[in-house]
Amino acid sequence: QDSGFEIVGVSLDDNESSWKSMIKQLDMSWPQYIDDGGGWAGAAALQYNIKSIPQTYLLDRKGNIAGSNLSGMELIEKIEELLKEE
């Protein structure tokens, strides 16, 4: 957050207790939200056309999608690029 970067997790799980247990087990310290409980037919899944997980979206400081489905060095480079923007 101090550098203008924040991770937020959105889950499509339909079992909240199972989901909370996994967050604790994996020590996910960033904010986590569960979609409306609709799983693959939930609001977020439908709005963002999520067909597989994990799905990543990078938002710029204005809230626009600046990258999606990035991984490895491509993800790191895009994050570094966005952090340099003012």
Side-chain angles (χ1 to χ4, degrees):
Q1 291 175 339
D2 295 338
S3 63
F5 179 77
E6 185 170 356
I7 296 173
V8 177
V10 178
S11 175
L12 300 180
D13 286 307
D14 55 6
N15 183 319
E16 190 170 347
S17 66
S18 214
W19 168 68
K20 286 181 178 181
S21 175
M22 186 58 67
I23 290 170
K24 186 175 182 177
Q25 180 182 344
L26 295 175
D27 194 27
M28 296 176 167
S29 59
W30 53 89
Q32 297 285 330
Y33 303 95
I34 196 163
D35 196 13
D36 59 10
W40 294 100
L46 294 175
Q47 181 174 351
Y48 293 100
N49 197 30
I50 297 172
K51 302 290 185 199
S52 64
I53 52 175
Q55 183 92 20
T56 60
Y57 292 97
L58 296 177
L59 305 179
D60 64 17
R61 294 178 193 269
K62 295 178 183 176
N64 299 311
I65 296 175
S68 63
N69 298 320
L70 305 174
S71 62
M73 282 307 297
E74 189 177 32
L75 176 61
I76 292 168
E77 289 169 359
K78 187 64 175 179
I79 291 170
E80 288 173 346
E81 173 189 324
L82 291 171
L83 288 174
K84 290 177 185 175
E85 292 180 0
E86 299 214 11

